[in-house]
Amino acid sequence: MNPVLRRSSAHVFVSSLASPSLSYDDEHHLDRVLRVEPTDTISVSDGARSWAAATWSRSRGITLTGEVHTEAPRQELTVVCAIPKGDRSELVAQKLTEVGIDRILFFETMNSVVHWDAERRKRQSERLGRIARESAMQSRRLTLPEIGFCTFEQAIGLPGVGIAEPGAAGTIDSSINTVLVGPEGGFDVEELGYAVASVRLSGNVLRVETAAIVAGVALVTAHR
């Protein structure tokens, strides 16, 4: 990671580096929470792998102080996770954003215990999107992950898919771009019958949120 990006006083996202401007919430965060001074160096990203060093003040807004850097694109990495209990989906969104996953999807399987109706999915999408954005700023990411929901049939059709299954012979390598993580009861036999790779995350049975994070780390490591 570029040392300027790593050591910046804050990292924010804007719609354009050519004419950067912050939302009210981001301005409040810089001013009241982080207490950024006009002389502090911050980093600004357009969410499309480009960023630049800058300064910020309430009177002047954002002023770029360095050249624009652009990170080379790579294959998109996806973790599809069975909806976990309680608020653990927030932990999944936060940590998968930090480790660098591009697409974080939630789904229901035959053995799922937790089910969200359309209204709750909408609310969760908004909340998890905010959590992912905050995590991306904290971790100095240059992109914002996609957060959403899908069916098992949609998930199984994603590119380079592997199903996480305790005791599987295979592991996550560069041929795997997408990992499906089932509920704590595991995938149904019918779901495991699809002709896709099965991958082992651990020698133990993991909680849903733990398995999702382990899968994310393994994906990123395999594609370095």
Side-chain angles (χ1 to χ4, degrees):
M1 178 180 289
N2 186 296
V4 175
L5 179 62
R6 179 182 179 182
R7 295 187 174 88
S8 60
S9 297
H11 183 65
V12 293
F13 289 95
V14 295
S15 58
S16 170
L17 290 175
S19 54
S21 61
L22 293 178
S23 67
Y24 172 82
D25 288 343
D26 286 345
E27 283 194 348
H28 178 81
H29 187 69
L30 293 186
D31 191 28
R32 299 297 183 183
V33 180
L34 298 180
R35 300 190 180 279
V36 170
E37 299 290 339
T39 54
D40 291 339
T41 297
I42 66 171
S43 50
V44 183
S45 174
D46 62 0
R49 300 190 182 278
S50 293
W51 71 279
T55 57
W56 175 83
S57 70
R58 276 203 171 274
S59 59
R60 298 194 313 271
I62 293 175
T63 302
L64 299 189
T65 58
E67 64 177 303
V68 174
H69 305 266
T70 301
E71 182 183 80
R74 59 162 171 75
Q75 287 183 313
E76 284 197 336
L77 305 178
T78 303
V79 172
V80 189
C81 179
I83 301 172
K85 297 176 182 177
D87 59 1
R88 297 174 187 173
S89 58
E90 299 176 7
L91 178 67
V92 171
Q94 181 187 67
K95 298 309 177 186
L96 289 183
T97 299
E98 287 182 25
V99 301
I101 295 302
D102 303 292
R103 187 187 295 116
I104 304 165
L105 303 177
F106 294 90
F107 67 167
E108 297 175 6
T109 71
M110 291 183 179
N111 293 333
S112 286
V113 175
V114 182
H115 301 274
W116 290 347
D117 60 23
E119 179 58 32
R120 187 170 185 189
R121 287 187 180 193
K122 180 181 177 182
R123 293 198 308 269
Q124 287 293 332
S125 290
E126 294 171 352
R127 175 159 180 75
L128 295 177
R130 290 194 297 271
I131 289 171
R133 181 183 175 88
E134 292 168 0
S135 185
M137 293 166 66
Q138 179 274 325
S139 59
R140 302 309 193 260
R141 275 186 63 147
L142 302 181
T143 60
L144 292 169
E146 174 190 340
I147 306 284
F149 300 87
C150 67
T151 65
F152 179 84
E153 289 71 22
Q154 290 169 331
I156 208 74
L158 292 171
V161 66
I163 293 183
E165 179 67 8
T171 56
I172 295 174
D173 58 26
S174 59
S175 69
I176 303 294
N177 301 330
T178 302
V179 177
L180 275 53
V181 174
E184 288 177 19
F187 287 105
D188 186 82
V189 174
E190 181 179 333
E191 293 167 333
L192 292 173
Y194 281 81
V196 298
S198 292
V199 294
R200 182 181 68 256
L201 301 179
S202 169
N204 303 320
V205 176
L206 306 177
R207 290 184 181 273
V208 176
E209 65 275 15
T210 307
I213 296 167
V214 170
V217 172
L219 273 174
V220 172
T221 301
H223 286 270
R224 279 180 178 162

